Amino acid sequence: MLRISALRLLGRRGASRVSLSEDFSLRHYSSGPLGVRGDTRDSRAYFTTPIFYVNAAPHIGHLYSALLADALCRHHRLRVPSDAATGFSTGTDEHGLKIQQAAAAAGLAPSELCDRVSAQFQQLFREADISSTDFIRTTEARHRIAVQHFWRVLKARGLLYKGLYEGWYCASDECFLPEAKVTRQPGPSGDLCPVSLESGHPVSWTKEENYIFRLSQFREPLQDWLRGDPQAITPEPFHHTVLQWLEEELPDLSVSRRSSHLHWGIPVPGDDSQTIYVWLDALVNYLTVIGYPNAEFKSWWPTTSHIIGKDILKFHAIYWPALLLGAGMSPPHRIYVHSHWTVCGQKMSKSLGNVVDPRTCLDRYTVDGFRYFLLRQGVPSWDCDYYDEKVVKLLDSELADALGGLLNRCTANRINPSGIYPAFCTACFPSEPGSAGPSGRAQAEDYALVSAVATLPEQVADHYDNFQIYKALEAVSSCVRQTNGFVQRHAPWKLNWESPVDAPWLGTVLHVALECLRVFGTLLQPVTPSLADRLLSRLGVSSTERSLGELHFLSRFYGHPSPFEGRRLGPETGILFPRLDQSRSWLVKAHKT
Ligand code: MSP
């Protein structure tokens, strides 16, 4: 953990300990995960991505953060399909020394750099189908109002004091570092330069009078929060890491810079000689978006889930909850943490020239294809490696061959000439395996398939709650394979619609396979929205029949009527997902390099 043990705080110390009990209530975060299976318990949810620095163009790591949040949010909408129930914010982090320096290096005014790069993020997210309901820029007036109000609240509650800060500051990471986290490396001129041990970015010695936040007072409340809600930070290893950090010293935090040094930021209210620390400024974006300081924000806070990368865990899991507690609010409902993407085994960096441009990937693999790849392969608990061949292999096998092939097999004119959802025959596939009469055709594996697909939505919901979207997709993919096995086993192409013996079973095989496809299409909506839309439209599923509450898988098998039986399929719209075969010119080039 990065601690500011190098700080020498020579300020008005020892102000009385803040009482938190009146507004800090366990009630807010002791509830379980958001309602599953369409129940509307705790139905409001607000998801956030980190706001992205505008010093450089977006890369696939940024897109990954946004996609995770988008998939969680879209899955919540499947559970609670009311527009008013889900908020989803993203945006750009535009203040601070890092941006001030990047603009100077590019010969631009900071605002010009911000406009340019913020627009790139907005365009990328539009193209990638990120369904955010707000895009915040920290240079907006609404945000300045929120940050300054938040500051005044902290001040009024006796949590800010003036003191002398002396220590290392890393402008690239916008954070303070204790001596133990600083090392020396040869710089461009060959001289040894101090750098951050963790990020390798240069650090510089800072000595100035700043405002200081009484972070040290929050160690116990933070521990109580985390011990009282073991899922507050998910996956678990990150929860554990934060609790370990809280065992160490928790020094007070410097929360402003001299304006002569940092002018690109929000001035401290009532003291223009100081600019508010960019992390305090940035974190408050989560409140700005929901209307803070107007009371309306209370209907969204704290039903909030922050999605963040592991590099910014300390800011979100220690500083932010402490600031919130200090301002009389509860910590967020969940902090979902993900690891990073590397490229061919290396950290992505401009200097290594290996930054993967997400827009090129969306062009090559399609929006749905690339979304599927990142979410299927990205495992939040550990770093994942990116290379092109991996994308092609995954998409060809799971989307083009398995899923696309299955749809084609069940809807192709030669096998389903009437173009309808055929009838399910209960005599061919009775709900009790032992009760099959002479026309019973279903085998043990077929019952296993029905049972696997019937429990799939719940399994998927559990994986979403545990922030394991890759496992949700793995479970869907495994059911797709099982369904292909079912179709292969019963080879409907060998059965004859004209035969009174074959026809009911042929219809049943197709009905079951189409029902499975309907479940897959519904569950894939959060990850591959447009592919899922095409799939469901091809099955004739209307837009009001696509939520989890409307799923009712294979109702005929369970003795209920099916609204789909006999329904006309939607129009044929071509291949669901085209194979990305090896002949593509860019792939050949990638193989050679
Ligand atoms: N501006 C801060 C966040 C402030 S939130 C109040 C910031 N910005 S960032 O642009 O550097 O990073 C934004 C997100 O991208 C973080 O969640 C970070 O972890 C993520 N990623 C940056 N590089 C990444 C990879 N290589 N792989 C996956 N995600 C990565 O931090």
Side-chain angles (χ1 to χ4, degrees):
M1 177 193 165
L2 309 178
R3 285 177 296 122
I4 51 165
S5 51
L7 275 182
R8 272 218 312 274
L9 303 171
L10 307 173
R12 194 172 52 81
R13 311 219 45 173
S16 62
R17 209 183 136 77
V18 208
S19 161
L20 305 165
S21 53
E22 76 270 26
D23 25 38
F24 169 50
S25 147
L26 273 167
R27 174 176 56 87
H28 287 305
Y29 49 74
S30 59
S31 60
L34 291 165
V36 188
R37 293 154 219 118
D39 81 57
T40 52
R41 166 172 53 110
D42 202 3
S43 64
R44 264 205 157 181
Y46 166 42
F47 297 90
T48 71
T49 75
I51 48 171
F52 301 90
Y53 285 131
V54 289
N55 62 305
H59 60 56
I60 57 165
H62 301 133
L63 179 59
Y64 181 56
S65 270
L67 281 177
L68 286 166
D70 188 46
L72 286 182
C73 176
R74 285 177 184 267
H75 189 263
H76 187 262
R77 290 190 190 120
L78 286 187
R79 293 169 171 182
V80 188
S82 147
D83 279 352
T86 315
F88 174 20
S89 77
T90 185
T92 40
D93 189 354
E94 306 191 359
H95 288 136
L97 210 51
K98 183 183 176 94
I99 308 305
Q100 186 178 302
Q101 289 175 350
L108 296 171
S111 62
E112 265 179 278
L113 179 70
C114 293
D115 288 349
R116 194 177 287 182
V117 183
S118 182
Q120 291 177 14
F121 275 97
Q122 290 177 56
Q123 183 172 357
L124 170 67
F125 292 166
R126 250 194 321 273
E127 287 175 8
D129 243 343
I130 302 296
S131 61
S132 46
T133 51
D134 202 341
F135 188 100
I136 180 165
R137 301 183 57 186
T138 52
T139 45
E140 289 173 59
R142 60 171 173 159
H143 182 62
R144 184 171 26 77
I145 293 167
V147 172
Q148 291 190 327
H149 183 90
F150 192 82
W151 179 279
R152 284 193 204 96
V153 172
L154 294 178
K155 190 98 203 319
R157 293 170 72 102
L159 292 169
L160 301 176
Y161 63 94
K162 252 189 160 174
L164 184 71
Y165 171 75
E166 186 171 4
W168 294 108
Y169 191 76
C170 177
S172 298
D173 304 336
E174 294 283 19
C175 71
F176 310 101
L177 292 170
E179 186 63 46
K181 296 280 182 181
V182 174
T183 183
R184 269 74 185 166
Q185 270 177 9
S189 60
D191 295 346
L192 284 184
C193 301
V195 296
S196 157
L197 202 56
E198 262 175 36
S199 67
H201 294 138
V203 298
S204 57
W205 189 255
T206 311
K207 182 178 179 183
E208 59 181 59
E209 193 174 55
N210 297 143
Y211 287 92
I212 316 285
F213 171 63
R214 295 186 190 283
L215 181 63
S216 57
Q217 295 193 359
F218 291 88
R219 188 216 296 252
E220 264 180 50
L222 291 175
Q223 286 172 331
D224 291 348
W225 162 52
L226 293 177
R227 289 185 184 134
D229 185 359
Q231 286 178 298
I233 302 173
T234 301
E236 197 281 329
F238 293 110
H239 190 94
H240 182 73
T241 303
V242 176
L243 274 171
Q244 265 183 336
W245 286 342
L246 289 169
E247 292 296 316
E248 299 167 17
E249 194 193 350
L250 188 64
D252 287 350
L253 175 71
S254 167
V255 285
S256 70
R257 292 283 86 83
R258 245 189 11 243
S259 310
S260 53
H261 180 56
L262 172 68
H263 59 82
W264 186 240
I266 299 177
V268 165
D271 184 356
D272 281 359
S273 71
Q274 295 275 319
T275 302
I276 295 176
Y277 175 38
V278 66
W279 265 103
L280 193 158
D281 169 338
L283 288 162
V284 172
N285 94 83
Y286 301 131
L287 295 177
T288 307
V289 165
I290 51 175
Y292 182 87
N294 297 327
E296 69 189 73
F297 87 90
K298 290 184 184 152
S299 62
W300 290 103
W301 197 271
T303 59
T304 305
S305 298
H306 294 313
I307 289 80
I308 60 160
K310 62 180 181 179
D311 54 321
I312 52 176
L313 179 58
K314 176 191 56 175
F315 302 96
H316 284 81
I318 293 187
Y319 295 177
W320 181 225
L323 288 163
L324 286 163
L325 290 171
M329 291 181 236
S330 302
H333 172 69
R334 289 279 175 274
I335 300 176
Y336 291 117
V337 190
H338 66 80
S339 297
H340 284 183
W341 283 91
T342 55
V343 176
C344 302
Q346 283 184 310
K347 193 174 163 178
M348 237 188 304
S349 92
K350 252 203 301 200
S351 49
L352 288 172
N354 64 351
V355 175
V356 181
D357 172 12
R359 293 183 62 199
T360 309
C361 296
L362 295 172
D363 278 353
R364 277 182 184 172
Y365 306 120
T366 74
V367 171
D368 287 297
F370 199 55
R371 286 176 63 108
Y372 185 83
F373 170 77
L374 287 180
L375 292 171
R376 169 82 167 93
Q377 289 286 308
V379 178
S381 308
W382 56 82
D383 287 353
C384 302
D385 200 33
Y386 177 88
Y387 51 95
D388 288 316
E389 288 83 348
K390 201 153 131 182
V391 191
V392 174
K393 212 168 147 196
L394 179 86
L395 299 185
D396 277 354
S397 99
E398 295 194 357
L399 293 187
D401 297 347
L403 187 66
L406 180 62
L407 178 67
N408 190 39
R409 280 170 138 188
C410 306
T411 53
N413 189 43
R414 64 184 182 285
I415 210 155
N416 188 351
S418 57
I420 57 157
Y421 225 94
F424 177 86
C425 162
T426 46
C428 300
F429 204 148
S431 54
E432 288 298 324
S435 69
S439 24
R441 307 279 285 260
Q443 303 168 7
E445 292 104 310
D446 305 334
Y447 286 93
L449 168 72
V450 169
S451 149
V453 179
T455 53
L456 187 62
E458 204 169 313
Q459 261 187 59
V460 164
D462 288 343
H463 291 317
Y464 270 84
D465 284 336
N466 295 326
F467 197 42
Q468 292 178 316
I469 300 174
Y470 71 101
K471 280 200 180 171
L473 292 174
E474 202 174 276
V476 172
S477 171
S478 150
C479 282
V480 173
R481 269 198 309 279
Q482 242 178 305
T483 314
N484 268 315
F486 166 80
V487 174
Q488 191 65 33
R489 206 164 38 250
H490 298 299
W493 47 89
K494 289 190 185 154
L495 300 173
N496 183 354
W497 281 114
E498 306 303 325
S499 147
V501 180
D502 282 358
W505 177 234
L506 173 50
T508 303
V509 169
L510 293 184
H511 183 101
V512 170
L514 290 172
E515 278 292 273
C516 293
L517 274 164
R518 191 168 63 81
V519 172
F520 306 148
T522 303
L523 295 177
L524 283 172
Q525 290 176 99
V527 173
T528 53
S530 109
L531 177 139
D533 173 42
R534 276 181 284 122
L535 170 52
L536 292 171
S537 299
R538 178 70 176 116
L539 301 183
V541 182
S542 75
S543 58
T544 55
E545 295 169 323
R546 297 179 179 191
S547 68
L548 294 182
E550 297 298 316
L551 208 42
H552 313 301
F553 167 62
L554 206 56
S555 45
R556 294 278 288 106
F557 176 80
Y558 297 101
H560 304 293
S562 160
F564 296 99
E565 205 170 63
R567 189 187 288 190
R568 178 144 297 283
L569 295 177
E572 153 78 290
T573 47
I575 294 174
L576 185 67
F577 191 86
R579 284 194 114 252
L580 301 153
D581 59 55
Q582 305 287 314
S583 65
R584 300 217 164 184
S585 57
W586 49 264
L587 235 178
V588 173
K589 215 165 82 205
H591 277 304
K592 283 187 191 146
T593 51

